[in-house]
């Protein structure tokens, strides 16, 4: 029971002790009281703070860091218990601050990555223990991503400007990044066909038809190589015809007549045929010498 005594409200436990005579009859009753104010105060305080701690830990487990880590003042009976809860909540508050700091730094990295600022890093030394390892892990992850992307960006930039790198990507890459490296190297191999075709065309521009595209390429690069070699072969054939014609050899005329035209816009073969027919006609004309007087 709770009693208002001169020294304040007290919680008392009452015990009734019967007093008996020689015959065993109750002749009186003694009332004994035990002061439970301390025990009750501590118990109520414990129940309140434990419940608050449960709520806070539940919020913490769900990622909600807005919990209230304060501790009730209590009274003169709960001083020791309160000091224990202050230490416990102080530790929890420290963990909350550490986790919040990690989340803030990781969030900064994530925001920078979304904005394309892939060179952004945070200082892991601002954290301790496993929290520092988490931040280091995120930094290392970005390094692992940014490195291959920078290499790919550099090569693509060079290719976009017509600068075909003669060297392949040799950086050590893992997983999907290694596939990107392989694809870039395959692209360099294919573009090598354009480089080689350009070298052949440059020589043909100077009437040098001695070189062909020798590399083995795929897809459109193979088509470019084949077309370049086809042009080289045609020009070599024309060169041979012109050379033979200059020496009076018109044996290719019948073959050219058989070919006719390679396409509707072909003026080369008809012109060659006309030229050789005119030469042949001129060679077969009788020579008329003037009479001597």
């Amino acid at each position: 029971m709770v009693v208002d005594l001169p020294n304040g409200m007290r919680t008392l436990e009452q015990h009734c002790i019967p007093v008996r005579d020689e015959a065993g009859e109750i002749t009186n009753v003694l009332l004994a009281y035990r002061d439970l104010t301390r025990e009750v105060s501590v118990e109520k305080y414990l129940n309140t703070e434990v419940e608050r701690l449960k709520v806070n830990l539940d919020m913490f487990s769900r990622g909600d860091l807005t919990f209230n880590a304060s501790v009730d003042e209590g009274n003169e009976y709960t001083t020791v218990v309160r000091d224990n809860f202050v230490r416990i909540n102080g530790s929890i508050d420290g963990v909350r601050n550490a986790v919040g700091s990690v989340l803030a730094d990781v969030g900064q990295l994530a925001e920078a990555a979304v904005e394309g600022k892939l060179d952004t890093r945070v200082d892991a030394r601002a954290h301790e223990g496993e929290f520092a390892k988490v931040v280091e892990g995120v930094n290392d992850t970005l390094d692992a991503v940014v490195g291959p992307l920078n290499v790919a960006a550099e090569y693509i930039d060079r290719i976009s400007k017509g600068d075909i790198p003669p060297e392949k990507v040799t950086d050590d890459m893992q997983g999907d990044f290694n596939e990107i490296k392989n694809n870039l190297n395959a692209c360099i191999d294919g573009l090598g066909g354009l480089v080689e075709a350009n070298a052949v065309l440059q020589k043909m521009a100077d009437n040098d038809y001695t070189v062909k595209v020798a590399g083995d390429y795929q897809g459109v690069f193979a088509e470019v190589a084949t077309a370049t070699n086809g042009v080289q072969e045609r020009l070599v054939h024309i060169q041979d015809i012109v050379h033979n014609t200059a020496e009076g050899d018109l044996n290719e005329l019948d073959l050219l007549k058989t070919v006719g035209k390679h396409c509707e816009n072909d003026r080369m073969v008809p012109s060659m045929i006309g030229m050789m027919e005119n030469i042949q006609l001129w060679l077969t004309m009788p020579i008329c010498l003037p009479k001597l007087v």
Side-chain angles (χ1 to χ4, degrees):
M1 61 181 176
V2 178
V3 180
D4 187 5
L5 298 178
N7 59 345
M9 300 297 294
R10 315 295 293 183
T11 300
L12 304 178
E13 180 182 66
Q14 178 180 288
H15 296 274
C16 297
I17 305 173
V19 178
R20 300 176 184 275
D21 59 15
E22 294 179 354
E25 297 293 330
I26 298 175
T27 60
N28 205 347
V29 176
L30 297 178
L31 297 178
Y33 295 91
R34 180 186 174 195
D35 190 348
L36 298 179
T37 304
R38 177 183 298 277
E39 289 86 345
V40 171
S41 294
V42 170
E43 182 179 4
K44 287 183 178 179
Y45 190 86
L46 277 172
N47 290 338
T48 300
E49 293 305 321
V50 167
E51 185 62 29
R52 191 200 313 273
L53 184 60
K54 287 168 58 180
V55 171
N56 289 346
L57 292 176
D58 179 63
M59 293 176 66
F60 205 166
S61 70
R62 291 184 281 106
D64 184 352
L65 305 185
T66 62
F67 55 84
N68 181 10
S70 63
V71 179
D72 285 348
E73 289 297 327
N75 56 34
E76 69 270 23
Y77 303 116
T78 61
T79 302
V80 175
V81 176
R82 182 181 185 279
D83 289 343
N84 288 331
F85 276 101
V86 167
R87 286 193 291 271
I88 292 172
N89 280 272
S91 297
I92 293 175
D93 213 25
V95 175
R96 170 169 60 180
N97 292 337
V99 171
S101 179
V102 170
L103 293 177
D105 279 351
V106 172
Q108 177 185 346
L109 291 174
E111 183 178 353
V114 170
E115 295 175 353
K117 302 174 182 177
L118 299 181
D119 58 344
T120 301
R121 298 292 182 274
V122 294
D123 188 0
R125 294 174 299 180
H127 308 277
E128 296 180 347
E130 295 299 321
F131 297 121
K133 292 181 180 179
V134 170
V135 175
E136 287 175 354
V138 177
N139 283 338
D140 291 343
T141 299
L142 287 173
D143 288 339
V145 172
V146 171
L149 288 181
N150 283 339
V151 172
E154 177 189 353
Y155 273 73
I156 292 172
D157 179 62
R158 291 178 63 182
I159 291 171
S160 70
K161 296 175 181 176
D163 176 15
I164 312 303
E167 69 281 0
K168 293 186 179 181
V169 182
T170 58
D171 300 62
D172 185 23
M173 299 183 185
Q174 305 296 324
D176 291 338
F177 294 116
N178 194 58
E179 184 174 350
I180 292 176
K181 179 181 76 172
N182 292 337
N183 291 339
L184 272 176
N185 287 338
C187 183
I188 292 171
D189 285 339
L191 290 171
L194 295 182
V195 174
E196 190 176 1
N198 177 61
V200 173
L201 291 171
Q202 292 295 335
K203 284 185 172 293
M204 288 195 291
D206 292 329
N207 294 330
D208 183 350
Y209 310 119
T210 61
V211 180
K212 299 177 69 173
V213 178
D216 184 19
Y217 305 103
Q218 297 181 353
V220 69
F221 303 116
E223 294 177 9
V224 170
T226 300
T228 301
N229 286 341
V231 171
Q232 186 265 357
E233 291 169 359
R234 293 279 172 80
L235 290 175
V236 168
H237 189 200
I238 291 172
Q239 180 179 250
D240 291 340
I241 292 175
V242 171
H243 176 76
N244 293 337
T245 301
E247 295 186 349
D249 183 357
L250 303 178
N251 290 330
E252 293 283 350
L253 179 56
D254 291 338
L255 176 61
L256 291 177
K257 288 181 178 180
T258 302
V259 173
K261 282 186 175 183
H262 288 288
C263 69
E264 183 180 351
N265 295 321
D266 183 1
R267 297 174 58 192
M268 178 67 73
V269 173
S271 296
M272 293 291 294
I273 293 172
M275 178 189 70
M276 294 176 72
E277 285 180 336
N278 287 331
I279 293 174
Q280 187 180 57
L281 178 62
W282 184 81
L283 291 174
T284 58
M285 289 178 61
I287 299 176
C288 298
L289 297 176
K291 292 182 180 182
L292 297 177
V293 179

